Amino acid sequence: MKTVKERCRFVVLISGQGSNLRAIVQFCRENNVSADFVKVISNVADAPGIEWAKQQGLPTAIISHRDFASRQAFDVALAELVQQCNPDYVILAGFMRILTKDFVSKFENRLVNIHPSLLPAFQGLHTHARALQMGVGWHGCTVHFVTAELDHGPIIAQAALEVEDGDDEASLRNKVLSLEHKLYPMVVSWLANRQVDVDSTGKVTVRGVASRHLKGYLS
Ligand code: GRF
């Protein structure tokens, strides 16, 4: 008997523009990726990404951290909202909140983030300014599984570009963001195809791909 693989269910968490959300959804639609975006959730009511998601007919929800007395209370409510959607994976796409250990533990190896640096370098904020300040030759972005430690966790894929003499913070941000828009959709399609495994040591393998990483700035 023919077995039909179930479509992969994604919840996407955003706080702002949602350009990664757009890139992911558009790529999946154009390439017939077996992915359903079952909810786009924002902690910011007027996030432009939420407007776009609504226009696209995607289910959306707003849950503002300002309505909760503590980070813990917000994360409990957020976890409930996410769990109601029964996702295979939770995608953080510019979600600007640090998640508690309790939240993270509920979605072990199913919670994915993109960070605008080549981790483990430049964890935290202002990555492009710090990369320029340090004079690194290469910079980029990383998609990784989220663990309780900020901007740590098993690396799924990275995209790197060479820093050029004329680069400033804005140019670097734009270049890295366009790399993010290539890397994140690619990773989401691997997740949707169930190609990604993590072993007990936290090492990631992706079945059926020649390389997990992208190199060079492609405009
Ligand atoms: C991206 O640079 C992402 O790496 C960082 O926040 C930015 C979000 O951009 N975490 P967008 O909301 O996807 O446009």
Side-chain angles (χ1 to χ4, degrees):
M1 202 175 73
K2 197 175 161 194
T3 55
V4 182
K5 257 196 190 166
E6 274 181 37
R7 292 176 66 80
C8 197
R9 296 170 65 82
F10 292 94
V11 165
V12 186
L13 305 190
I14 66 167
S15 299
Q17 290 302 323
S19 69
N20 278 290
L21 165 74
R22 290 176 210 212
I24 290 167
V25 171
Q26 280 163 354
F27 179 90
C28 289
R29 284 178 175 168
E30 282 161 16
N31 294 280
N32 286 321
V33 176
S34 175
D36 287 334
F37 297 93
V38 292
K39 193 82 93 184
V40 178
I41 300 174
S42 173
N43 65 314
V44 177
D46 58 358
I50 276 290
E51 273 320 301
W52 180 84
K54 280 185 194 158
Q55 284 162 15
Q56 297 298 309
L58 298 173
T60 60
I62 306 288
I63 176 166
S64 173
H65 54 281
R66 292 177 199 279
D67 294 340
F68 295 85
S70 66
R71 186 177 294 279
Q72 193 70 29
F74 171 70
D75 276 13
V76 167
L78 179 64
E80 271 170 24
L81 180 59
V82 172
Q83 277 167 332
Q84 280 163 16
C85 306
N86 193 25
D88 294 294
Y89 291 102
V90 181
I91 302 293
L92 305 181
F95 184 67
M96 303 307 283
R97 297 279 307 168
I98 294 173
L99 293 162
T100 55
K101 245 186 220 158
D102 285 347
F103 184 98
V104 172
S105 69
K106 290 185 175 114
F107 302 99
E108 199 187 359
N109 294 339
R110 297 195 295 136
L111 184 58
V112 180
N113 183 42
I114 191 158
H115 182 74
S117 79
L118 294 174
L119 291 174
F122 309 121
Q123 295 148 1
L125 296 174
H126 312 299
T127 57
H128 310 304
R130 288 157 60 208
L132 285 170
Q133 171 67 30
M134 288 302 291
V136 295
W138 292 85
H139 187 46
C141 52
T142 304
V143 177
H144 65 101
F145 286 112
V146 176
T147 56
E149 209 176 329
L150 183 67
D151 298 330
H152 264 265
I155 289 174
I156 305 172
Q158 294 189 306
L161 56 78
E162 197 164 357
V163 179
E164 293 173 318
D165 283 345
D167 274 325
D168 57 16
E169 192 180 352
S171 71
L172 214 44
R173 177 181 300 109
N174 289 335
K175 288 181 188 179
V176 170
L177 196 58
S178 29
L179 276 187
E180 293 180 33
H181 297 161
K182 293 189 169 61
L183 189 71
Y184 219 173
M186 191 173 87
V187 171
V188 168
S189 73
W190 297 339
L191 295 169
N193 294 333
R194 272 83 173 177
Q195 287 168 268
V196 183
D197 295 312
V198 200
D199 73 15
S200 56
T201 69
K203 194 160 170 20
V204 173
T205 46
V206 182
R207 274 169 285 109
V209 300
S211 171
R212 292 196 274 143
H213 308 297
L214 300 176
K215 195 168 104 176
Y217 170 58
L218 314 160
S219 64

